[in-house]
C-alpha cells in the first residue's frame, strides 16, 4: 500500500519515552523545556512554547497577538488576511480571539497566498496577515513579509505543514513571521504524534503564549515574568493574568521531539529524494496534471499535490477509483476552498468574491503522501495508476 503517512520512530524515541518513565516526571517539565530550546536554536529564534497540538499553537499564538501591547488590538482595525486553502484551525483561533477573517484566493500552483491578492484586498481595516506555507512550500512568504513591513502589519506564519523548508533566500520556514506555529502530529515532519510549537523573537508574545498555554497564570517564567505580585510568592503562585487555556504538552512529547529533531537532516533528504522522483514521473503527464510549484531543495515536501487539467479536467472520480484499485491512499488538498465548509456560518468572515484557484484546488485537486522512507516502489505504482487513467480518458 502507498500510505498517506507512516511513522518515523525507532529505538531513539522508545529510549526517550523510557527516560521519562524512569524520571517519574510526566507533565510539562525539563524534557519539554529542553526540546523548546533545541527548537529555538534550530530556527534561530529566541523563544519556543510547546503545546499539545499545532492547533493549540495557533490558539496561543493568535491570543498572544490579541493581548499584546506591541500589536494592540483595535476593534476598527481587526481584519486578518488569510488564504482560502488551509486547515480549519488556522482560522478558528482568529475568530475566537475577535478578529475578522478575510479569505483570499491562493496561487493555483504554489497553493499559497500571493502578493497580488493581498494588495487587491488590503485596506486600512487590516491589522495582520496569516501566511500558510502549504505542503512544505514557502513560495510567496518573503514578498508578503515585505508587504507587512511596509504597512505596519503583523505576520503570523502557520507553518504546521512546512517544518524545515527554506524560503527563496534561504531562511527557514517559521523564522520569518512575528510568530510562527508548527505541528508534530503523526502525519507531519517531526512526529510527537500530538504536539505543536509557537516560536517568536518577541518576548512579550512568548510570555503571553506561555501564560495562555497553562491556565493564564504566571508560573512559567521561562520567557520573562508577568507577575504583578512579584514579592509575594504565596500570592504569585496562583496569579492569573490572561484568560488562558490548558493546552500543555507532556514530557513524553518533549523527549520524543528532541529525538526526532536530531534526525531531521536525514528525514529531509529522504523527503526531497522522493520529491525528485515524483517530479520526474509526473513530467510525462504534464499535459493532464499540474503539480505544486515548489523547489526540490527548498520545500520540505509534506506530500505531493496534483491538479487535473485539459482532457483530465473533471475526471477526478475516475482517477480516485484507479488509485483505490492500486491501493494508493489519497485525500483532498488540505480542505480545498475552506469557505465552502458548513462551519462558515459561525465565523466572523469576509470572503473575497474571486476564489477561482481555491475552487480549482478543491474540485480538480488531490494529494498523495510523502514521508522519510524510500518511496521508489510506491511512486512506481503511482506512475502505473496515472498511466492507466490517462490511457482510459
Ligand atoms: C496548516 C495547518 N495548520 C494547523 C494544523 C493543526 O495541527 P494539529 O493537527 O497538530 O492540531 C494543521 C494540521 O494538519 C495544518 O495543516
Amino acid at each position: 500500500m502507498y500510505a498517506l503517512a507512516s511513522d518515523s520512530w525507532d529505538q531513539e524515541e522508545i529510549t526517550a519515552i523510557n527516560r521519562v518513565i524512569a524520571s517519574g516526571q510526566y507533565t510539562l517539565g525539563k524534557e519539554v523545556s529542553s526540546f523548546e530550546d533545541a527548537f529555538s536554536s534550530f530556527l534561530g529564534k529566541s523563544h519556543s512554547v510547546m503545546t499539545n497540538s499545532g492547533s493549540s499553537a495557533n490558539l496561543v499564538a493568535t491570543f498572544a497577538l490579541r493581548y499584546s501591547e506591541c500589536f494592540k488590538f483595535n476593534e476598527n482595525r481587526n481584519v486578518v488576511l488569510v488564504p482560502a486553502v488551509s486547515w480549519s484551525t488556522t482560522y478558528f483561533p482568529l475568530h475566537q480571539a475577535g478578529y475578522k477573517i478575510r479569505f483570499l484566493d491562493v496561487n493555483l500552483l504554489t497553493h499559497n497566498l500571493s502578493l497580488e491578492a493581498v494588495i487587491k484586498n488590503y485596506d486600512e481595516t487590516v491589522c495582520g496577515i496569516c501566511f500558510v506555507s502549504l505542503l512544505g512550500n514557502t513560495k510567496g512568504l518573503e514578498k508578503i513579509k515585505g508587504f507587512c513591513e511596509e504597512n505596519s502589519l503583523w505576520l503570523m506564519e502557520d507553518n504546521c505543514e512546512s517544518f524545515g523548508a527554506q524560503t527563496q533566500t534561504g531562511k527557514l520556514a517559521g523564522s520569518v513571521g512575528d510568530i510562527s506555529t508548527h505541528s508534530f502530529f503523526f502525519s507531519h515532519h517531526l512526529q510527537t504524534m500530538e504536539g505543536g510549537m509557537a516560536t517568536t523573537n518577541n518576548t512579550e508574545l512568548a510570555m503571553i503564549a506561555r501564560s495562555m498555554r497553562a491556565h493564564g497564570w504566571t508560573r512559567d517564567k521561562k520567557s520573562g515574568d508577568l507577575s504583578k505580585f512579584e514579592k509575594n510568592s504565596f500570592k504569585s503562585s496562583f496569579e492569573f493574568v490572561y484568560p488562558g487555556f490548558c493546552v500543555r504538552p507532556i514530557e513524553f512529547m518533549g523527549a520524543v521531539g528532541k529525538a526526532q529533531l536530531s534526525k531531521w537532516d536525514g528525514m529531509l533528504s529522504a523527503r526531497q529524494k522522493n520529491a525528485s522522483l515524483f517530479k520526474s514521473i509526473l513530467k510525462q503527464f504534464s499535459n493532464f496534471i499540474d503539480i505544486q510549484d515548489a523547489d526540490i531543495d527548498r520545500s520540505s515536501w509534506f506530500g505531493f499535490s496534483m491538479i487535473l487539467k485539459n482532457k483530465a479536467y473533471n475526471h477526478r472520480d475516475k482517477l480516485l477509483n484507479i488509485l483505490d484499485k492500486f491501493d494508493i491512499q489519497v485525500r483532498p488538498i488540505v480542505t480545498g476552498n475552506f469557505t465552502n465548509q458548513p462551519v462558515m456560518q459561525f465565523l466572523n468572515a469576509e470572503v473575497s468574491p474571486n476564489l477561482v484557484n481555491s475552487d480549482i484546488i478543491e474540485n480538480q485537486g488531490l494529494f498523495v503522501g510523502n514521508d522519510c522512507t524510500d518511496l521508489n516502489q510506491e511512486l512506481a505504482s503511482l506512475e502505473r495508476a496515472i498511466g492507466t487513467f490517462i490511457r482510459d480518458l
Side-chain angles (χ1 to χ4, degrees), residues 231-251:
K231 294 197 176 64
N232 186 332
S233 58
F234 185 75
K235 281 176 99 174
S236 69
S237 59
F238 285 87
E239 184 182 9
F240 299 88
V241 285
Y242 291 104
F245 311 102
C246 183
V247 291
R248 290 181 305 221
I250 54 174
E251 286 288 81

Side-chain angles (χ1 to χ4, degrees), residues 280-352:
S280 71
I281 288 172
L282 266 285
K283 213 167 179 177
Q284 65 192 291
F285 305 121
S286 61
N287 283 337
F288 306 93
I289 299 175
D290 276 330
I291 61 171
Q292 192 180 25
D293 170 17
D295 300 326
I296 303 257
D297 55 351
R298 292 199 193 283
S299 174
S300 54
W301 295 100
F302 187 97
F304 303 129
S305 62
M306 295 176 270
I307 299 175
L308 304 183
K309 64 177 184 181
N310 298 336
K311 215 173 154 192
Y313 198 82
N314 274 341
H315 290 291
R316 186 173 59 185
D317 283 349
K318 199 170 185 172
L319 177 56
L320 295 182
N321 253 325
I322 294 171
L323 291 172
D324 188 46
K325 290 205 177 86
F326 277 78
D327 217 6
I328 297 171
Q329 287 187 340
V330 63
R331 54 163 289 172
I333 298 176
V334 195
T335 61
N337 175 353
F338 193 81
T339 70
N340 294 329
Q341 296 285 347
V343 69
M344 285 297 290
Q345 64 170 314
F346 297 113
L347 301 185
N348 183 16
E350 291 170 359
V351 179
S352 160

Side-chain angles (χ1 to χ4, degrees), residues 53-55 58 86-87 89-90 132 158 160-161 183 185 188 195:
S53 71
S55 303
N58 280 345
S86 187
W87 189 247
T89 51
T90 302
V132 185
D158 177 339
C160 287
E161 297 192 0
S183 166
F185 182 63
H188 291 234

